[in-house]
Amino acid sequence: MVILTEALPAGVLPEMARGLSVSESAAGQALTVYALASGLAAVPLAVVTGGWRRKRLLVTAVAVFTVANTVTAVSASYPLTMAFRLVAGVASAAVWAELVVYARRLAPPHLAGRAIAIAMAGIPLALSLGIPAGTFLGSLIGWRATFGLVTVVSVLLLVWILVSVPDHPGRQPGRREPVLRAVRLPGVAAVLFVVAAYVLAHNTFYTYIASFLDAYGMGGERELVLLVFGLASMVSILVTGALIDRRLRELTIASAALFLLAAALLIPFADRPAVVYASMVLWGLGWGGLATLVQTAVTDAGGDRAQALLVTVWNTLMAGGGVTGGVLLGTLGPAAFPWSVLLLLVPVLLVVVGARTHGFPKRGV
């Protein structure tokens, strides 16, 4: 539900732009304000709600999503839509900060990575089924009705949480430690750099994937391209879940290398549909397990405090991707997107390879 709310505008960007009477670059900022709000809210929200019961926090966040998606579905005002996208972004900060903590509490320590992978399976599920389905429905029944369906999903999720999710107490006031201090712990800065550069590269391109496909004559295949990407992401999360407790380092290196290869293929061959589909497979295989990999790595290195920092960095750079992509689209055109991936992912690969002691250490077989 969170990924649907966040990424659906990318799949219906041209239609949403026309519906709100703005340019595609302006409509793309629906992802930017969402991500920026989530990034900026993560640390202060963790402090303010630290003492709340965890179930209360999740229920409140999902209720906010329900309202925000309803407003998006009916609003004809661009400023009003952006305002409620911002509100939804704040709610997402609460959700992301809690998912990994819940997963780790429900599993024995030696299966913590796998538990996180299972919890994070919602990401590729949304990408492989939700976003392509949303894109298809957007062309069939309109983007507003599609956001209305996401509201229905939000309501169903709210009921499910109330009925079945176990509750946990919040943190005790005397046990709180400064969140920002976690960045000094060995390995945390390396993981956060990888998150920043990788997420910026992904969102710069993915936010405007519809515009990229339109430019190379594949606009009519948008739903299928997103489906291929999402299915590859699902395979990635399955592989990650099976191997992460033993192969976190190797999986992270492979993730960056696959995304790099996908971008390198698109630079000379973006006008060839077969290459585009192959690149979507490689990109999806690289991207699908990333959230699980970096959340496991940062929590191992810095605990729950580092997790709040990761949410901040992830979502702030998601916002940066929307802005950067809009600038690239308006100045250099869609052909610049694969080049931006290369420039950002080469340092990522180097940092992961170099962080062999802390951050992405080699684990026992």
Side-chain angles (χ1 to χ4, degrees), residues 203-250:
N203 273 78
T204 295
F205 199 165
Y206 190 81
T207 302
Y208 298 95
I209 188 66
S211 301
F212 180 84
L213 294 173
D214 287 346
Y216 289 98
M218 294 185 64
E221 300 178 55
R222 193 191 318 164
E223 297 90 344
L224 185 57
V225 169
L226 292 174
L227 178 61
V228 168
F229 173 83
L231 290 174
S233 298
M234 182 64 74
V235 172
S236 177
I237 197 73
L238 292 173
V239 173
T240 300
L243 300 177
I244 188 170
D245 290 305
R246 293 173 288 121
R247 300 291 186 186
L248 184 145
R249 175 177 173 79
E250 293 85 347

Side-chain angles (χ1 to χ4, degrees), residues 198 201-203 205 254-264 282-283 286-287 341-342 345:
Y198 203 129
H202 171 80
N203 273 78
F205 199 165
S255 171
L258 287 167
F259 194 9
L260 269 171
L261 180 57
L282 294 171
W283 185 0
W287 172 256
V341 173
L342 287 184
L345 262 291

Side-chain angles (χ1 to χ4, degrees), residues 267-279:
I267 289 172
F269 301 122
D271 57 343
R272 300 186 185 182
V275 175
V276 171
Y277 281 110
S279 296

Side-chain angles (χ1 to χ4, degrees), residues 317-354:
L317 271 298
M318 279 182 61
V323 174
T324 304
V327 172
L328 288 177
L329 183 63
T331 56
L332 301 177
F337 292 139
W339 284 105
S340 69
V341 173
L342 287 184
L343 290 173
L344 289 163
L345 262 291
V346 168
V348 165
L349 190 57
L350 294 175
V351 168
V352 176
V353 171

